Amino acid sequence: MGFTTYIIKKVLIYFSVLLATLTILYIFTFPILQEVIAKSINFQVAQFSQTLFKNAHNLNSTQIQIAVEKYRESLIIAYGLNQPIIDKYFIQMYNLIRFDFGTAYFLQAPSGSREVGAIIAYYLPNTILLFTTATIIFIVVGTIIGLLSAKSKFWEKIIAIIAVIHSSIPTWWLGFVLIAALAYAVKVFPPGGMTSVPPPKNPFDYGISVLYHMSLPLITIFIVNVGGFAYIVRSLVTSIMKEDFVITAKARGLPDSRILYRHVLRSASPSIATQAILALAGSLGGSLTTEVVFEWPGVGLLTYVAISLNDLPVILGIAYVLTVVLLVGLFLGELVYGLLDPRIKVGE
């Protein structure tokens, strides 16, 4: 199997998984979806009616009512509410693939749009900016620490202890501690938010403000995760250090650093890449508690607000989007894994 065949096979697998996942979600949320669609139609009809009353001065109330009813019927047909359940399924799948989740009950995007897709599209990049950046940093640092700890028994034990301690600390709890210490006691970082208030108008100042405000949550995510990732890398590298080719390299008198970085790291790279990809894919969904603690305007905070307001279209839209984003992340990971694994590139 060559790399091209590998990609085609993965595309088909992940597209099938996506359809299966959306189907399962659709089955379990069918009654809720019907309610959401019905309310979305009512909202669009109300907006259309208001527009006609304001602008169509050449129409009387009876003509406007007829036009409104025709518009309602067209929406019912478009959303498939008058169709058999199997037709409703295909229409819903088509809408979901186009990220058409209907209209929110209460929430709206800063642009004023109440389309669920527009609302999520505003908050999702903020989540990716914070969590994916933090994930990349702890992956790089964790890999370096894991490699170095594999060379020393002392650091091997220290890393194991640090991994247990850090991984057992809830991110939200550490966030509260760091806010109390570094935002209110020492006043080095802001306690929350994404920018200063009001936001700087100059793009450079705006970027600096964002980096300043994301520092504290980024440090929190880094502390909680770096020890665990370093421990995983250390375990992978340690197991490979016992392989015959490493023992042979040592017998030939090659320096430890050359064995570690040229031979051991190359063999461990597909497994390390898999762990890194899973971490990156998970980072795309953010964290509800972390974003609430730091008032970071991402998908997690949006989910919290949507649940508080019982805004069902937004809750369902977030569930669908995060499912798609996770599968896309895992698919990209498969591509990277295929590039790193020499057995796939040569078609074995």
Side-chain angles (χ1 to χ4, degrees):
M1 179 178 68
F3 189 61
T4 304
T5 307
Y6 174 82
I7 292 175
I8 295 172
K9 184 178 177 181
K10 292 299 177 184
V11 168
L12 294 175
I13 290 174
Y14 275 86
F15 187 70
S16 302
V17 171
L18 174 62
L19 289 181
T21 305
L22 293 181
T23 301
I24 293 172
L25 288 173
Y26 178 75
I27 292 172
F28 281 101
T29 59
F30 178 76
I32 301 174
L33 278 173
Q34 299 308 297
E35 178 186 340
V36 168
I37 293 172
K39 289 187 176 180
S40 178
I41 290 175
N42 290 337
F43 176 78
Q44 294 181 57
V45 169
Q47 281 192 319
F48 180 72
S49 178
Q50 290 177 3
T51 304
L52 283 184
F53 275 110
K54 287 181 180 177
N55 303 322
H57 302 295
N58 57 334
L59 299 177
N60 57 41
S61 58
T62 303
Q63 291 172 319
I64 290 176
Q65 188 62 32
I66 292 173
V68 168
E69 288 304 317
K70 285 185 178 179
Y71 182 65
R72 181 190 298 278
E73 291 175 4
S74 68
L75 289 179
I76 290 175
I77 294 172
Y79 282 102
L81 285 185
N82 61 336
Q83 299 293 326
I85 187 169
I86 188 66
D87 292 348
K88 288 181 180 178
Y89 164 77
F90 284 110
I91 292 172
Q92 187 63 31
M93 288 298 106
Y94 176 70
N95 289 333
L96 291 178
I97 290 175
R98 294 188 303 127
F99 293 98
D100 183 359
F101 307 113
T103 307
Y105 292 163
F106 310 106
L107 296 171
Q108 64 181 24
S111 62
S113 173
R114 289 181 61 182
E115 293 295 323
V116 174
I119 296 171
I120 297 174
Y122 173 78
Y123 288 96
L124 185 60
N126 297 338
T127 289
I128 294 174
L129 173 66
L130 173 60
F131 285 89
T132 304
T133 302
T135 303
I136 291 172
I137 293 174
F138 80 67
I139 285 173
V140 173
V141 176
T143 301
I144 294 172
I145 295 175
L147 289 173
L148 295 176
S149 65
K151 297 169 59 178
S152 166
K153 291 291 182 183
F154 173 76
W155 285 109
E156 184 179 338
K157 294 177 182 177
I158 293 295
I159 288 299
I161 295 171
I162 291 175
V164 172
I165 294 174
H166 284 196
S167 301
S168 61
I169 298 175
T171 309
W172 60 267
W173 181 84
L174 182 61
F176 279 130
V177 172
L178 292 180
I179 288 173
L182 300 178
Y184 290 111
V186 184
K187 297 183 180 179
V188 176
F189 296 109
M194 188 171 174
T195 62
S196 55
V197 180
K201 295 182 179 179
N202 184 288
F204 179 78
D205 294 337
Y206 185 89
I208 294 297
S209 182
V210 170
L211 289 176
Y212 179 49
H213 281 75
M214 71 184 285
S215 298
L216 199 53
L218 193 146
I219 291 171
T220 305
I221 299 169
F222 174 81
I223 292 174
V224 171
N225 293 282
V226 67
F229 197 85
Y231 185 74
I232 292 172
V233 173
R234 183 203 66 84
S235 301
L236 292 170
V237 172
T238 302
S239 63
I240 294 176
M241 292 285 280
K242 299 174 183 176
E243 297 286 339
D244 292 340
F245 74 93
V246 177
I247 297 173
T248 303
K250 287 182 177 179
R252 290 169 54 196
L254 295 177
D256 289 343
S257 58
R258 183 175 177 180
I259 295 173
L260 181 63
Y261 295 114
R262 288 199 178 183
H263 301 283
V264 176
L265 183 58
R266 181 179 298 175
S267 299
S269 59
S271 300
I272 295 174
T274 301
Q275 297 297 326
I277 288 159
L278 290 174
L280 287 171
S283 74
L284 301 178
S287 169
L288 189 151
T289 54
T290 304
E291 292 186 12
V292 170
V293 167
F294 289 102
E295 299 179 18
W296 186 261
V299 174
L301 186 59
L302 175 64
T303 305
Y304 172 76
V305 175
I307 292 173
S308 302
L309 297 174
N310 196 27
D311 203 325
L312 289 174
V314 178
I315 297 171
L316 292 175
I318 292 171
Y320 284 123
V321 168
L322 293 187
T323 301
V324 173
V325 167
L326 178 62
L327 288 175
V328 170
L330 293 175
F331 172 70
L332 293 176
E334 293 278 8
L335 298 186
V336 174
Y337 185 87
L339 289 172
L340 292 175
D341 192 334
R343 294 170 298 178
I344 295 174
K345 284 195 295 186
V346 298
E348 291 183 0

